[in-house]
Amino acid sequence: MKKIFKILGITVLAVIILIVAAPFFCKDQIAQIIKDKLNASMDAQIDFAEVDLSLFRAFPDARLSIDGVSIINKEPFAGDTLFYGKEVKLNLPIGDLFNSASEPIHVNELIVNSAVARLTVNENGNSSWDIAKESASAKASPEQTPETSTGFSFDLKHYEINDSELTYEDKSSEMKFALSNMNHSGNGDFSLGESTLETYTEALVFYTMDDINYLSGQQIKLDAAILMDLDNQKYTFQENKAFINALELKLDGFVQLEETYTMVDLTFDTPSSDFKNFFAVIPETYRKNLDGITTTGDFTVNGMIKGEVDDTRIPKMDIKISSNNASFKYPDLPKTVTNINIDAQLKNETGNVDDTYFNVAQTSFNIGSDRISGNAMVRNLTSNMNIDLNANGNLNFQNLAQAFPLPEAMKLDGKLALDIATKFDMESIEKEKYERINAKGTASLTEFAYEGDALTKPLVINSAKIDMTTSRIKLEDFDAKTGYTDLKASGTINNLIGFLLQDQDLKGTFNVRSNTLDAADFMTATEVTPAQPANGTTQKSTAATTEEAIKIPAFLDANLDFQANNVLYDGLQLKNVSGVALVRDETLTLNNLTTNIFNGNIGVNGSVSTKGTTPVFNMALDMKNLDIAQSFEGFDMFKSFVPILKSLQGKINTYLTFSGSLDNDLSPILSTINGDALAQLLTQDVNAQNNPLLGKLAQKVSFINLDKFDVSNITAKLNFKDGAVQVAPFDFNIKGIKATASGRHSLTNEMDYTLALDLPAKYLGKEGANLLSKLTAEDIDKINVPVPVKFSGSFLSPRIDLNLDLAVKNLTIQIVEIQKARLKDKGKEAVGNTVNDIISGNNPLGGIKDIISGNGKPKDSTSTPTTTPVKTEDKVKEAAGNLIKDLFGRKKKTTTDTTKTK
């Protein structure tokens, strides 16, 4: 007996070891078998990231977990993902783990988590999910039973699909159906010929046809018991509850799958007829504050769907929505919405999809003495939709606010009057064949007032009227005001119906007039942190810096001919603004805009786009006769790009082409600007004291009075790139001194500039004339001393270097060469004596130094100097050097020096 128990114990232990060890030894083999079976049975690429096998979690079944399951289509949908599942779990008999590749694997439970399935029918009618392969044996023996086929056999008892998404798109009919946030589960026995399946489903449903959204996120729920007749593929609804948003429906009937079609026979209705059912249809986002609401009258939805469904037919249907003499009243509001009547029907009597129509025979309601009513007929729902629409009535928005709760902080006032009728087909809207649209009537808005989060300032529309008697709707009058802004407009609207019904851009041509237009009035009240440029430099704005970014409307496609007496933008006041603007694709394009500012005029051509994450611009500005001081204070761009302007008084002309990025207030981010400018100064006034750079330069070149510097008609070319300004060489004249300037500086004012002065001999003064007294006047006029001046540091703390050695060398060479040329016939000795006579025997340099340094009268030139013989050129160089260095080292005199430039 002990031996039997010992053998039994060893056997049990061996089984336990086998159960524990099997997953580790079999996992890779099973994974490969599954992958081979799937790829062998489907015309698609099936793959997965990881496989895990457990013999305990679903005992007595094995639990197979597959992560990252993907099914990728082949032609004609090559590369499209048909299915992706983050996690797929299958419970299957342990014995099936050891099946050969030719034997099926039975699945008893299936759980799919976070899956996405995309089912597509292309323009040629091909289906992306038609990927099952027909095996060779099946072709030879069409009556082969599923038990002898390879692959998987789903004998499910339970299944779940959690947090998943299903999309069906038919590109040939431009129809798209989607379920998102879907959770679906079922309990039943698919191994039986007949059983009951207990199911629960919830999802958000979307349905679009021809770019029209019929369902956009409505929540649906179905809790149903379904009798499954798997032998006949018939599924019959038993006890059930269905919900559309919060509207409850009860379903009766069945769905049966035939070989070539699907038979549908369903009826449904609302269990109750209370008018509160109407509010249940409204999406939850808009269905608020219903506690305590009182209603009278009824609201019912009922219908039937019956018939065969295949590639060419749909079931017949008759769905009715009705309400008679209903009313509702919110407990905290004084007015009641009364006389609510709805009579709508969706119907198809033939099974031909083109014969489906939606008829709104009547819809109307009253708020106090105001009444709005209308009717519509919509045919050809799935092809070229035809619409016949009528609406008329009056509505006082103050009454609306007293009957229906508005969003917090929103206030409405004003009166709407409309009497319109229109007939059109959607093809005419899509192809902009407006002459085929039959419209008549008028709509007007008077004394309308809006206050809310959409705008920082209240909007008042004194009057607005449209006339629909033409194919293009005419905006006869528009008179509005918000904040400091007033607007008057007129024009034509090409596609108001397409804009309202098909999400088309609003197209039209308008004339806009304004006395004052303040851009800050159109900022939204939502606070965000604005984008900051790299150097923190942007234009100042009249709007708060925490306002939401200004966006050019994406829905607008319009030509604007506008005039405004005053435009307030970015801290600036522009006067007499006029031009033509094109608004399209979130881009504003300006053509021939002109405005008066800074006692001058600016012409503007270019564009601003807010389409991307960061707004951008591309502009050409023709600035004429701008006041320099006002421009410098008004334009931050001038302060960073041309800080020297602070020292100038007068006028400036500039032609500027540049592009870059904008901040949330649509002000230029200076570090991003690239472009070119051609600037012409029209001024004679320079104030060196206002600029540290000019002040320090005045100290270095004291013989030039920069305050008397005439810079009129100076023209310079500038280039902006990568946060720096490059100035091309330009020439100007300082009272007979030729000067050339060039260089670059950064937006942080670090500079590298060169000023080349070409100093005439006359600026050497009286003492310099003595030095050159042996030269003829013609020779002296030919002498110019080049003096390079180097600027570095910053504009506020500049460093100035003078290359005097080069000036001395050049002056020396010129004197010697002129004398050599004059005395070449007298020989070298004569040259030496002449030069010695100038600079050794009668050297005036000492007197020059004494006068410049303020030591009184020059020394007696008749006294005999003590000299050491030196080379002639060295003597000239020494004398010229002393003269140059004293000239640039002298201090400003308080008395007038007649040798200074004026």
Side-chain angles (χ1 to χ4, degrees):
M1 194 69 176
K2 291 183 178 179
K3 194 171 187 178
I4 294 174
F5 281 115
K6 185 176 181 180
I7 294 171
L8 181 61
I10 293 172
T11 302
V12 171
L13 180 60
V15 170
I16 293 174
I17 294 173
L18 178 63
I19 291 174
V20 173
F24 298 98
F25 294 109
C26 301
K27 182 171 66 173
D28 294 338
Q29 179 183 359
I30 293 170
Q32 190 60 48
I33 290 175
I34 292 173
K35 190 177 295 186
D36 291 343
K37 284 179 176 290
L38 290 172
N39 280 293
S41 62
M42 299 184 188
D43 188 20
Q45 181 62 46
I46 292 90
D47 204 350
F48 39 81
E50 187 176 346
V51 173
D52 181 61
L53 178 63
S54 172
L55 301 183
F56 290 102
R57 293 173 188 158
F59 191 81
D61 286 345
R63 167 65 61 84
L64 182 66
S65 299
I66 308 174
D67 294 341
V69 180
S70 64
I71 302 177
I72 308 299
N73 279 117
K74 296 182 179 179
E75 293 294 347
F77 300 92
D80 291 351
T81 299
L82 176 63
F83 175 87
Y84 175 81
K86 183 178 181 181
E87 183 181 43
V88 177
K89 299 178 181 179
L90 303 96
N91 290 355
L92 43 96
I94 293 178
D96 284 13
L97 297 176
F98 305 98
N99 288 356
S100 66
S102 62
E103 296 176 302
I105 295 176
H106 297 82
V107 178
N108 297 326
E109 181 172 316
L110 172 66
I111 299 175
V112 179
N113 294 322
S114 302
V116 176
R118 303 195 184 280
L119 312 179
T120 305
V121 178
N122 66 14
E123 293 83 353
N124 298 322
N126 298 313
S127 303
S128 64
W129 64 90
D130 188 11
I131 60 174
K133 289 181 179 178
E134 187 176 4
S135 66
S137 59
K139 293 178 182 178
S141 305
E143 298 180 358
Q144 182 182 19
T145 61
E147 287 77 6
T148 60
S149 63
T150 61
F152 291 87
S153 175
F154 289 91
D155 298 330
L156 293 174
K157 307 296 188 299
H158 173 77
Y159 66 91
E160 295 178 17
I161 301 174
N162 301 313
D163 190 25
S164 296
E165 178 183 323
L166 170 67
T167 301
Y168 171 81
E169 182 177 9
D170 189 336
K171 294 186 177 181
S172 61
S173 62
E174 298 185 20
M175 185 271 284
K176 188 174 184 179
F177 174 82
L179 296 175
S180 68
N181 297 353
M182 180 176 68
N183 294 288
H184 173 68
S185 62
N187 293 294
D189 193 341
F190 285 80
S191 64
L192 302 177
E194 185 173 302
S195 65
T196 298
L197 177 67
E198 301 288 344
T199 67
Y200 178 79
T201 305
E202 63 178 20
L204 300 179
V205 61
F206 300 82
Y207 181 73
T208 302
M209 173 91 56
D210 290 330
D211 295 327
I212 300 176
N213 296 322
Y214 293 95
L215 297 172
S216 54
Q218 276 68 26
Q219 186 178 53
I220 60 170
K221 296 179 182 179
L222 176 62
D223 189 351
I226 300 174
L227 179 62
M228 298 190 302
D229 181 356
L230 297 181
D231 293 335
N232 297 305
Q233 291 292 294
K234 184 177 181 180
Y235 305 89
T236 304
F237 282 97
Q238 296 180 320
E239 289 189 25
N240 63 84
K241 286 184 179 181
F243 293 86
I244 301 177
N245 291 329
L247 176 66
E248 184 179 351
L249 296 173
K250 185 177 182 303
L251 304 176
D252 288 303
F254 67 89
V255 176
Q256 185 170 5
L257 306 181
E258 301 289 352
E259 186 174 348
T260 58
Y261 65 89
T262 299
M263 183 66 189
V264 178
D265 188 349
L266 294 175
T267 61
F268 57 88
D269 59 17
T270 52
S272 70
S273 60
D274 195 302
F275 187 73
K276 287 185 178 179
N277 290 336
F278 170 79
F279 293 97
V281 178
I282 301 173
E284 186 175 1
T285 304
Y286 307 102
R287 189 173 9 103
K288 298 178 180 178
N289 305 320
L290 293 181
D291 292 341
I293 192 171
T294 57
T295 64
T296 64
D298 58 22
F299 179 84
T300 60
V301 178
N302 58 75
M304 72 87 181
I305 301 174
K306 184 176 182 178
E308 300 175 358
V309 182
D310 57 21
D311 292 340
T312 61
R313 292 176 296 172
I314 65 170
K316 298 175 184 179
M317 66 182 68
D318 188 359
I319 302 172
K320 296 178 181 179
I321 303 172
S322 65
S323 178
N324 294 299
N325 198 27
S327 70
F328 68 87
K329 182 182 183 302
Y330 282 86
D332 299 327
L333 296 175
K335 290 190 178 293
T336 303
V337 180
T338 61
N339 297 325
I340 302 172
N341 294 282
I342 302 172
D343 184 3
Q345 184 179 33
L346 179 65
K347 194 166 186 176
N348 184 295
E349 300 174 294
T350 67
N352 183 350
V353 66
D354 290 333
D355 293 334
T356 307
Y357 65 87
F358 182 58
N359 181 27
V360 182
Q362 181 188 22
T363 179
S364 61
F365 65 89
N366 283 46
I367 304 179
S369 59
D370 298 334
R371 182 172 180 79
I372 296 289
S373 63
N375 58 75
M377 173 65 81
V378 183
R379 297 185 181 274
N380 299 335
L381 293 179
T382 60
S383 56
N384 181 24
M385 189 182 301
N386 282 267
I387 299 173
D388 186 348
L389 174 67
N390 296 274
N392 61 80
N394 297 278
L395 179 62
N396 188 319
F397 288 100
Q398 197 171 72
N399 289 339
L400 177 66
Q402 293 179 1
F404 196 84
L406 300 177
E408 188 176 354
M410 179 185 287
K411 295 181 181 179
L412 287 178
D413 201 354
K415 298 177 181 179
L416 170 69
L418 62 120
D419 185 5
I420 58 175
T422 182
K423 294 180 181 180
F424 57 92
D425 63 278
M426 295 309 297
E427 183 180 89
S428 299
I429 301 296
E430 294 168 359
K431 297 183 178 180
E432 301 184 8
K433 296 181 178 180
Y434 305 120
E435 67 280 358
R436 287 163 43 178
I437 299 174
N438 183 2
K440 61 181 179 180
T442 60
S444 64
L445 198 61
T446 56
E447 299 176 355
F448 175 80
Y450 164 83
E451 186 174 344
D453 292 338
L455 293 171
T456 55
K457 310 288 178 61
L459 170 66
V460 176
I461 301 177
N462 298 315
S463 63
K465 183 178 181 181
I466 60 173
D467 183 354
M468 301 179 64
T469 56
T470 62
S471 59
R472 284 175 170 81
I473 296 172
K474 185 178 181 181
L475 177 64
E476 289 188 336
D477 177 39
F478 182 84
D479 183 355
K481 183 176 179 63
T482 179
Y484 294 104
T485 299
D486 62 276
L487 289 172
K488 291 187 178 182
S490 61
T492 58
I493 304 173
N494 295 343
N495 66 329
L496 181 61
I497 297 174
F499 169 69
L500 296 175
L501 298 183
Q502 261 213 332
D503 198 27
Q504 291 184 356
D505 292 345
L506 182 62
K507 300 179 180 181
T509 302
F510 305 95
N511 294 310
V512 181
R513 300 293 181 265
S514 175
N515 182 54
T516 300
L517 192 153
D518 188 350
D521 292 333
F522 299 94
M523 300 284 283
T524 59
T526 304
E527 291 191 355
V528 296
T529 302
Q532 290 295 329
N535 63 354
T537 306
T538 60
Q539 288 285 108
K540 296 178 181 178
S541 172
T542 58
T545 57
T546 55
E547 299 290 348
E548 188 176 87
I550 297 175
K551 296 290 286 185
I552 297 171
F555 64 83
L556 197 57
D557 184 352
N559 291 310
L560 307 176
D561 185 334
F562 64 91
Q563 293 182 6
N565 294 334
N566 296 279
V567 173
L568 306 179
Y569 168 69
D570 207 21
L572 305 175
Q573 181 179 8
L574 289 75
K575 297 182 177 180
N576 302 320
V577 181
S578 65
V580 176
L582 173 63
V583 182
R584 179 179 297 162
D585 195 25
E586 298 184 56
T587 300
L588 172 67
T589 302
L590 302 174
N591 295 314
N592 301 321
L593 181 146
T594 61
T595 181
N596 296 332
I597 188 173
F598 304 141
N599 294 330
N601 178 270
I602 298 180
V604 182
N605 287 278
S607 64
V608 174
S609 175
T610 61
K611 188 174 183 179
T613 304
T614 302
V616 295
F617 73 95
N618 191 336
M619 287 286 180
L621 304 181
D622 188 5
M623 305 177 178
K624 294 181 179 179
N625 295 311
L626 298 190
D627 182 272
I628 294 176
Q630 294 181 32
S631 301
F632 187 83
E633 290 302 318
F635 286 144
D636 277 358
M637 184 173 65
F638 277 14
K639 294 178 183 178
S640 297
F641 287 168
V642 279
I644 196 71
L645 288 182
K646 185 177 181 179
S647 304
L648 305 181
Q649 302 291 326
K651 298 282 188 175
I652 186 172
N653 289 342
T654 301
Y655 186 78
L656 175 63
T657 59
F658 62 131
S659 61
S661 300
L662 302 168
D663 66 9
N664 284 350
D665 297 331
L666 299 190
S667 300
I669 300 175
L670 301 184
S671 60
T672 69
I673 290 180
N674 293 321
D676 297 285
L678 187 65
Q680 180 185 21
L681 296 175
L682 306 175
T683 179
Q684 296 182 354
D685 299 324
V686 178
N687 186 353
Q689 304 305 315
N690 285 347
N691 189 287
L693 174 64
L694 293 180
K696 198 161 189 177
L697 178 63
Q699 296 175 7
K700 290 286 186 178
V701 291
S702 57
F703 58 93
I704 302 176
N705 190 344
L706 292 181
D707 288 333
K708 301 298 183 179
F709 178 22
D710 182 1
V711 294
S712 60
N713 296 316
I714 286 181
T715 299
K717 184 176 181 180
L718 292 77
N719 174 263
F720 318 118
K721 188 176 182 180
D722 299 330
V725 180
Q726 183 76 39
V727 180
F730 64 94
D731 299 329
F732 56 98
N733 193 284
I734 310 176
K735 294 298 183 181
I737 301 175
K738 182 181 177 182
T740 301
S742 64
R744 70 187 303 275
H745 70 271
S746 69
L747 296 183
T748 55
N749 286 329
E750 296 170 344
M751 62 178 170
D752 181 11
Y753 279 95
T754 299
L755 175 65
L757 297 174
D758 199 12
L759 191 67
K762 66 180 181 179
Y763 286 103
L764 299 178
K766 182 177 179 181
E767 290 74 17
N770 291 335
L771 176 64
L772 305 175
S773 60
K774 296 298 182 178
L775 305 179
T776 66
E778 182 180 355
D779 291 334
I780 293 174
D781 287 340
K782 294 178 180 179
I783 293 179
N784 286 279
V785 182
V787 182
V789 184
K790 183 76 172 178
F791 301 90
S792 58
S794 69
F795 283 97
L796 295 178
S797 180
R799 293 193 300 273
I800 300 179
D801 298 313
L802 301 173
N803 193 340
L804 299 182
D805 290 338
L806 181 63
V808 169
K809 181 178 180 181
N810 188 281
L811 178 60
T812 301
I813 292 173
Q814 289 187 75
I815 292 175
V816 171
E817 290 301 320
I818 290 174
Q819 287 289 44
K820 284 182 178 180
R822 287 186 56 202
L823 302 176
K824 62 181 181 179
D825 295 334
K826 297 182 179 181
K828 184 175 182 180
E829 182 180 355
V831 174
N833 292 336
T834 302
V835 173
N836 284 332
D837 186 45
I838 295 174
I839 62 173
S840 298
N842 287 310
N843 186 4
L845 185 59
I848 294 173
K849 288 182 178 180
D850 288 339
I851 292 175
I852 293 176
S853 61
N855 291 330
K857 295 182 180 180
K859 294 180 180 180
D860 186 358
S861 60
T862 61
S863 61
T864 303
T866 302
T867 61
T868 300
V870 294
K871 292 183 179 180
T872 299
E873 291 189 13
D874 290 341
K875 293 178 181 180
V876 174
K877 182 175 181 179
E878 180 184 359
N882 291 333
L883 177 62
I884 292 294
K885 291 175 182 177
D886 283 351
L887 178 66
F888 284 95
R890 73 171 69 149
K891 297 182 179 179
K892 276 184 180 268
K893 295 181 180 181
T894 55
T895 57
T896 302
D897 187 346
T898 58
T899 64
K900 277 191 176 184
T901 61
K902 296 181 180 180

